[in-house]
Amino acid sequence: MNSNTIAYVGMWTGIIGALTGVAGSIMGFVAYRHSREVREADRRLELDKLRNAAHVAAVSLVDLLPRALQSRKAVLNARGMLHSGLMQRFQEQYERDLKRATELAGMVPNTQAAFGSLSVSALEKQIIELDRTKGWIDELLNTYQTAVAEDEKMREEICANAHAKK
């Protein structure tokens, strides 16, 4: 082979390698940007879902609290303990929990809140804060659901005792 031919082959191979490297860099950059956009979209979706779940839990809690108080009053009244220390302690705890439930419900962003302008780190911070808030809401919700279930069990016992006395 002629030395010029080898030089031309080397030159064209180098040019093709350089173009391949540039194209690979461009495709890598595009893929990186795309993966970042997908990650942001995933975080926004996760935050929206968490906000909706926290909103539903907060509404359920605010609806449940007065029913739980009325339920406890009715049961303790039927047992002749409406003005007892037990009712007083429940009432005091209820007042604290009602205040806390109102605070927690206020910490949940409203359903019209848009998270489009937040960065990934800000979205992750919001997710963490909202998850913590939802955990507190769920804890109170479980406490009062348990209290209502206990009241229902006491009602059944009261009814059973009343039927046994007849």
Side-chain angles (χ1 to χ4, degrees):
M1 260 188 165
N2 169 335
S3 67
N4 284 339
T5 306
I6 293 175
Y8 283 124
V9 168
M11 179 184 72
W12 283 109
T13 305
I15 291 172
I16 291 171
L19 291 175
T20 304
V22 169
S25 296
I26 291 170
M27 289 190 311
F29 177 74
V30 169
Y32 171 74
R33 272 192 39 209
H34 178 71
S35 69
R36 206 173 85 207
E37 290 170 1
V38 168
R39 189 168 142 225
E40 283 181 26
D42 285 346
R43 294 293 184 256
R44 281 185 182 76
L45 179 62
E46 183 180 353
L47 184 55
D48 282 337
K49 286 180 176 180
L50 186 57
R51 179 201 44 212
N52 290 342
H55 178 74
V56 167
V59 168
S60 297
L61 178 60
V62 170
D63 288 346
L64 176 63
L65 284 170
R67 287 189 296 127
L69 179 63
Q70 291 305 318
S71 175
R72 184 58 52 103
K73 282 181 178 180
V75 167
L76 291 180
N77 189 31
R79 294 177 71 194
M81 300 173 62
L82 183 60
H83 300 290
S84 68
L86 183 64
M87 184 61 210
Q88 184 179 358
R89 282 192 304 276
F90 186 86
Q91 181 78 36
E92 290 168 358
Q93 185 64 46
Y94 169 83
E95 296 297 330
R96 286 191 299 270
D97 290 344
L98 181 61
K99 182 179 177 186
R100 181 71 174 143
T102 304
E103 290 171 2
L104 291 171
M107 293 169 68
V108 176
N110 68 30
T111 55
Q112 282 74 35
F115 304 112
S117 63
L118 297 178
S119 67
V120 173
S121 61
L123 285 168
E124 289 171 348
K125 182 180 176 186
Q126 284 280 350
I127 289 169
I128 290 168
E129 289 175 7
L130 189 53
D131 188 52
R132 183 180 310 120
T133 301
K134 185 178 180 312
W136 291 328
I137 292 170
D138 288 344
E139 184 179 327
L140 276 176
L141 191 58
N142 289 336
T143 298
Y144 281 90
Q145 286 171 336
T146 301
V148 169
E150 289 171 359
D151 291 347
E152 191 59 39
K153 187 175 178 181
M154 281 190 243
R155 276 189 196 83
E156 290 172 4
E157 290 174 9
I158 291 168
C159 285
N161 288 341
H163 289 300
K165 290 180 181 180
K166 287 185 180 181

